[in-house]
Amino acid sequence: MEKTFAIIKPDAVADNHIGGILAMAEAAGFKIRAAQMKHLTRKEAEGFYAVHAERPFFGELVEFMSEGPCVLLALEREDAVAKWRDVMGATNPANAAEGTVRKTYAKSVGRNCAHGSDSKENAAIELAYFFPGTALL
Ligand code: ADP
Ligand code: MG
């Protein structure tokens, strides 16, 4: 069974959408293998998004991801990485399909309420970054 790493971002936590997003994950067949509420430091957010360090929105992204608590998740199902990207919808909620997490809850391309790993390799790296020692449960 494949695992992916997901985050319910600070906007969705502040707007009381933890339950709604977890319900969408469960309805899509995911098992929640690990879950932790955590207020990321700027350093943790910078480290996590290091691949975007040169992008013009990096400062805004780090600020957003450390503005309040988020929920870190290890999600498991068949084809978990691709399936969670489908369930989340496009990065910009304006382009996200009806019924996706981002279409339902996100307000803008920056404040887009959820993260999902973009490859199996990155899922393994991201799970190890936030759930050291538990990624293989
Ligand atoms: P995804 O989260 O869909 O994998 P990216 O990896 O391209 O998208 O970007 C990481 C995060 O950076 C996005 O989820 C979003 O929060 C933020 N972001 C992406 N593009 C923009 C943008 N044009 N302006 C502001 N923030 C952005
Ligand atoms: Mg990405």
Side-chain angles (χ1 to χ4, degrees):
M1 217 41 104
E2 188 171 299
K3 287 190 190 64
T4 192
F5 177 69
I7 303 179
I8 300 174
K9 294 184 177 180
D11 56 334
V13 172
D15 293 343
N16 300 332
H17 297 315
I18 296 173
I21 293 172
L22 290 178
M24 289 169 91
E26 291 188 326
F30 287 93
K31 290 288 181 193
I32 297 162
R33 292 300 186 203
Q36 184 192 2
M37 187 170 246
K38 188 175 170 87
H39 190 153
L40 301 185
T41 62
R42 290 189 60 94
K43 256 191 155 29
E44 284 168 329
E46 281 168 5
F48 179 67
Y49 279 118
V51 299
H52 295 307
E54 303 309 320
R55 308 277 285 274
F57 56 81
F58 184 66
E60 179 190 331
L61 177 59
V62 167
E63 191 64 40
F64 164 55
M65 290 301 292
S66 57
E67 76 179 23
C70 62
V71 179
L72 310 175
L73 299 167
L75 300 180
E76 183 178 72
R77 62 155 278 163
E78 208 171 286
D79 206 15
V81 170
K83 184 67 184 176
W84 180 244
R85 301 278 310 182
D86 285 350
V87 172
M88 280 199 305
T91 305
N92 187 340
N95 303 327
E98 285 301 329
T100 59
V101 169
R102 283 164 165 170
K103 183 69 172 187
T104 305
Y105 295 121
K107 297 196 187 82
S108 68
V109 63
R111 305 177 69 82
N112 61 0
C113 80
H115 167 81
S117 308
D118 62 6
S119 67
K120 288 189 212 187
E121 294 70 25
N122 283 334
I125 291 168
E126 293 174 0
L127 286 165
Y129 186 78
F130 282 122
F131 296 115
T134 63
L136 298 178
L137 279 182

